């Protein structure tokens, strides 16, 4: 995520709470991978498939790691995507990862963590409701 300007990361974070206007803006303004990641993180497997098919396996692994998938987390570490591994751990409320983001003044990434957890905590499982 550090490869993006903080304002883009913050825009991405806003899509995690359902802001479809920003999602559309990301898609039309050169950040389709972030739009796909948002869709993926909000529960739609099509976003994951798009990431994997279009050269963004690290974002797909981040999505899975943010959902406590240990294999995905290990993949991020093994392939030197340290910040994505830390971000995933922060999404999983690991104190050491949250402290790392705070101590390194990565406020935009903390916004991602906060919005992802707001979304995750507001979800009510409904097998008949289509995601996003």
């Amino acid at each position: 995520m550090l490869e993006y300007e903080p304002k883009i990361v913050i825009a991405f974070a806003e899509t995690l709470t359902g802001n479809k206007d920003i999602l559309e803006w990301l898609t039309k303004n050169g950040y389709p991978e972030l739009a796909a990641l948002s869709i993926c993180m909000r529960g739609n497997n099509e976003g994951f498939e798009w990431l994997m098919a279009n050269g963004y396996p690290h974002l797909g692994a981040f999505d899975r790691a943010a959902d406590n998938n240990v294999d995905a987390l290990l993949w991020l570490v093994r392939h030197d995507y340290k910040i994505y591994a830390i971000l995933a751990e922060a999404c999983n409320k690991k104190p050491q990862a949250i402290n790392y983001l705070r101590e390194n003044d990565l406020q935009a990434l903390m916004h991602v963590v906060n919005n992802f957890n707001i979304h995750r905590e507001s979800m009510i499982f409904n097998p008949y409701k289509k995601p996003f």
Side-chain angles (χ1 to χ4, degrees):
M1 282 281 160
L2 297 179
E3 65 269 29
Y4 301 103
E5 293 178 48
K7 67 181 180 180
I8 299 302
V9 174
I10 290 169
F12 163 72
E14 288 302 309
T15 68
L16 296 175
T17 59
N19 190 320
K20 291 182 181 180
D21 292 334
I22 295 177
L23 184 73
E24 185 176 330
W25 185 91
L26 287 172
T27 302
K28 292 180 179 179
N29 287 279
Y31 304 99
E33 72 278 13
L34 293 180
L37 178 59
S38 175
I39 290 167
C40 188
M41 292 181 80
R42 290 180 49 81
N44 186 322
N45 202 46
E46 289 175 20
F48 179 79
E49 291 169 9
W50 188 96
L51 290 170
M52 300 308 284
N54 288 281
Y56 298 96
H58 60 293
L59 296 180
F62 164 66
D63 167 66
R64 297 303 195 242
D67 278 333
N68 278 312
N69 183 306
V70 175
D71 291 333
L73 181 65
L74 292 173
W75 187 95
L76 289 169
V77 171
R78 192 169 40 251
H79 289 89
D80 204 27
Y81 288 103
K82 177 184 174 186
I83 197 64
Y84 284 99
I86 292 168
L87 185 58
E89 289 286 87
C91 286
N92 290 311
K93 300 182 180 182
K94 305 289 184 186
Q96 187 174 358
I98 293 168
N99 288 339
Y100 178 90
L101 296 178
R102 286 185 179 141
E103 289 169 3
N104 289 282
D105 200 30
L106 297 171
Q107 295 173 358
L109 296 184
M110 280 302 301
H111 197 58
V112 171
V113 170
N114 292 335
N115 282 7
F116 176 69
N117 282 312
I118 288 169
H119 165 68
R120 181 177 6 207
E121 292 165 7
S122 71
M123 290 179 56
I124 298 173
F125 180 70
N126 180 345
Y128 304 104
K129 182 178 179 184
K130 285 185 143 186
F132 211 118

